Amino acid sequence: MYNNRISIIGTGYVGLVTGVCLADFGNSIISVDIDEAKIGKLKNGITPIYEPGLEEVLERNIKAGRISFTTDIKFAVENSEVIFIAVGTPPDEDGKADLSAVLSVAETIGTYMNGYKVIVNKSTVPIGTGRKVEAIIRDVLNKRGLDYDFDVVSNPEFLREGKAVQDFTHPDRVVVGTESEKARDIIKEIYRTLYLNETPFVFTNLETAEMIKYASNAFLATKISFINEISILCEKVGADVQKVAKAMGMDGRIGGKFLHPGPGYGGSCFPKDTKALVKIAEEHGLDLKIIKATIEANERQKLHMVEKIESHLRNLNGKKIGVLGLTFKPETDDVREAPSLTIIPELIKRGAIIRAFDPVGIPEATWRLKDYEKCIVYCTNEYDVMEGVDALVILTEWNQFRRLDLGKVKQLMKGTYFFDLRNIYEKEEVERVGLVHVGVGV
Ligand code: NAD
């Protein structure tokens, strides 16, 4: 059992889930953020993000006294031996990962260090960042005239939003990048619950762990872009991409996951991590052709959806279009880089008026789409969206959109086009009520 306190810097999707789940494993956690509003909510047991199951685990661990929240990073650093960095690494204008938050936390850790510490980086960072963190801390300590020992570990996170608690507590593997045996043993203790459950642990050096994260995300994004590209060809040649993907996935060498055609991948990871990896390679004089094609195919896929809608409706000028789903996937409130942020503006630029609904994504989508607010009506539920629309577009496969009363849909709509961009309906069942089903690659 690990007996010392652990700090987690950053309480976003990754930091909060890490803190809450490590507390549930029996560790004692101090969760830190610079965002006072977030910390205020968390102190009261309220999660600032929508993540199924998280609030329950949070409540249980607050009650047990295993997790506390603060904006005081000095207190956190001084009172813990292990410090996880889980702050954001968003893309800058060039697509490079913006490391300012990670590096500023490193500096703060150096400033308040009062003995041996293990600094564990959970944020997704370019290869070489762990060494940079090491150098910054050493530099600050030198300036302070101190010579404390410390270790930097890369422990990338692979959780999926919407399934974050399950993924964190039942990971396919835990990657630990460090050359220090002492740090490795401490990490094993922290993850003791998983270690005992025979979760595979992969021990590597810093650089390899950092690379594993980028390579994994780039590969998954490539799988999605691959099937999306095949879906466009399927539409042209009369093949059914659903059956193609299913049969491909039955091949053990390929696997069926991430072979679902749709309106393009989004979210806070795949778009930014693929672009960042291309930039990292460029800095080393290497052109990553496959990953660049993945990014390009994803952009084309989003526009292909708009063109598909336009070609069926002939002219979008003045057309009312209902949109179901704004988040990049179901079971999250995250709208970062969601296909909706490209597809809705494109439809509006071509003259359409939008009625939209999402079970939890409307607040975030409203500010992200504020330049288009005059042309978007946010509705109170899925059926409200359908009132008098010329076409309906399913952008996110929330469960409640999977079981629509199709007769009611037909009644409420003015037009008949039902764009099922997640292929969640059978063509026959939709067309039985007099609607025209348009899927992706079918
Ligand atoms: P996020 O934006 O949801 O959260 C980041 C948090 O860090 C925010 O609450 C912010 O206020 C806080 N923060 C920023 N600077 C700080 C500072 N100096 N001190 C304390 N707190 C600070 O980000 P996220 O989605 O949790 O992602 C975090 C990292 O994890 C990123 O590198 C991301 O690529 C990676 N990651 C994300 C996911 C995911 O599904 N979201 C999955 C795996 C890995």
Side-chain angles (χ1 to χ4, degrees):
M1 187 67 216
Y2 182 69
N3 291 318
N4 292 315
R5 276 202 276 186
I6 300 166
S7 285
I8 317 276
I9 317 293
T11 58
Y13 289 87
V14 166
L16 181 57
V17 172
T18 301
V20 167
C21 293
L22 286 183
D24 216 43
F25 290 170
N27 296 292
S28 173
I29 306 292
I30 307 171
S31 263
V32 189
D33 207 288
I34 42 171
D35 185 332
E36 289 184 9
K38 269 191 189 178
I39 293 298
K41 279 189 179 170
L42 286 163
K43 279 184 173 166
N44 290 313
I46 300 164
T47 55
I49 53 169
Y50 177 82
E51 185 58 54
L54 184 61
E55 206 147 276
E56 202 184 306
V57 193
L58 170 69
E59 228 180 86
R60 177 160 80 228
N61 285 284
I62 291 178
K63 267 196 196 135
R66 285 191 293 259
I67 190 163
S68 62
F69 296 93
T70 181
T71 52
D72 187 350
I73 191 162
K74 178 174 186 283
F75 170 84
V77 172
E78 285 174 349
N79 288 282
S80 51
E81 186 186 44
V82 179
I83 302 155
F84 280 75
I85 303 178
V87 296
T89 49
D92 67 11
E93 340 48 269
D94 288 345
K96 271 165 67 179
D98 176 352
L99 289 179
S100 51
V102 171
L103 301 183
S104 112
V105 169
E107 196 156 337
T108 312
I109 293 172
T111 307
Y112 298 127
M113 237 164 99
N114 55 352
Y116 174 74
K117 309 275 172 196
V118 183
I119 295 94
V120 188
N121 189 30
K122 248 208 181 305
S123 299
T124 303
V125 291
I127 298 95
T129 305
R131 302 278 172 213
K132 266 192 200 160
V133 167
E134 230 165 51
I136 290 174
I137 296 175
R138 181 60 62 210
D139 196 41
V140 180
L141 284 178
N142 282 343
K143 283 186 190 141
R144 291 174 64 202
L146 297 169
D147 189 24
Y148 294 131
D149 196 13
F150 68 93
D151 287 306
V152 174
V153 177
S154 167
N155 173 220
E157 183 49 56
F158 300 95
L159 63 78
R160 292 163 297 175
E161 286 174 23
K163 296 192 167 66
V165 175
Q166 169 70 15
D167 284 354
F168 193 93
T169 52
H170 299 80
D172 290 334
R173 77 301 206 188
V174 175
V175 174
V176 182
T178 178
E179 280 122 45
S180 153
E181 221 170 283
K182 182 174 175 183
R184 188 185 306 170
D185 289 344
I186 289 176
I187 301 291
K188 276 202 239 167
E189 281 307 303
I190 292 172
Y191 284 111
R192 191 177 162 79
T193 312
L194 298 180
Y195 208 72
L196 293 179
N197 284 347
E198 296 186 5
T199 301
F201 274 62
V202 182
F203 295 105
T204 69
N205 66 8
L206 269 173
E207 288 76 9
T208 307
E210 290 169 343
M211 179 59 99
I212 288 170
K213 174 63 190 172
Y214 276 111
S216 302
N217 272 2
F219 186 79
L220 293 173
T222 301
K223 238 180 144 182
I224 297 174
S225 273
F226 180 90
I227 200 65
N228 280 341
E229 190 158 73
I230 293 292
S231 80
I232 300 179
L233 185 57
C234 282
E235 287 169 7
K236 294 202 185 290
V237 299
D240 178 342
V241 77
Q242 294 287 90
K243 298 224 162 89
V244 172
K246 192 168 178 192
M248 279 175 68
M250 286 169 177
D251 185 327
R253 295 168 301 176
I254 298 174
K257 289 184 179 161
F258 285 77
L259 273 189
H260 302 286
Y265 60 76
S268 69
C269 291
F270 290 176
K272 110 175 146 59
D273 294 348
T274 44
K275 286 178 202 149
L277 191 53
V278 166
K279 287 288 166 192
I280 296 165
E282 276 174 8
E283 281 167 11
H284 290 83
L286 186 65
D287 187 20
L288 291 185
K289 294 183 191 302
I290 294 175
I291 300 169
K292 276 164 88 174
T294 291
I295 297 167
E296 211 181 301
N298 195 53
E299 291 312 311
R300 180 179 65 184
Q301 188 69 8
K302 292 186 258 183
L303 290 180
H304 178 62
M305 298 299 113
V306 177
E307 284 154 12
K308 185 192 268 288
I309 296 166
E310 190 172 38
S311 79
H312 281 92
L313 294 180
R314 289 176 204 284
N315 180 357
L316 290 178
N317 205 15
K319 294 276 162 55
K320 250 196 218 174
I321 299 184
V323 172
L324 295 183
L326 298 164
T327 54
F328 83 98
K329 65 169 173 181
E331 302 300 327
T332 181
D333 55 352
D334 202 343
V335 184
R336 288 179 281 187
E337 305 238 21
S340 62
L341 299 184
T342 304
I343 293 173
I344 290 177
E346 277 300 322
L347 292 171
I348 291 173
K349 280 182 207 155
R350 294 167 200 225
I353 299 150
I354 306 293
R355 292 177 68 77
F357 173 70
D358 188 282
V360 297
I362 291 177
E364 196 186 325
T366 304
W367 70 261
R368 288 189 185 272
L369 288 168
K370 62 180 174 312
D371 291 350
Y372 301 92
E373 66 190 5
K374 287 200 183 112
C375 301
I376 308 173
V377 177
Y378 293 100
C379 299
T380 49
N381 61 51
E382 52 270 52
Y383 293 106
D384 186 18
V385 160
M386 296 163 200
E387 298 259 359
V389 295
D390 295 285
L392 188 66
V393 180
I394 300 179
L395 276 188
T396 319
E397 67 278 34
W398 284 91
N399 274 341
Q400 67 199 77
F401 304 156
R402 288 176 183 270
R403 40 170 195 259
L404 295 171
D405 175 343
L406 293 170
K408 190 168 166 187
V409 176
K410 170 75 174 66
Q411 250 180 12
L412 290 169
M413 283 175 63
K414 187 173 111 201
T416 52
Y417 280 105
F418 186 96
F419 293 97
D420 175 11
L421 303 188
R422 296 286 180 175
N423 288 349
I424 54 177
Y425 284 89
E426 297 289 339
K427 193 175 187 63
E428 298 71 43
E429 62 176 329
V430 174
E431 304 217 327
R432 205 176 297 135
V433 300
L435 292 167
V436 180
H437 179 269
V438 184
V440 178
V442 286

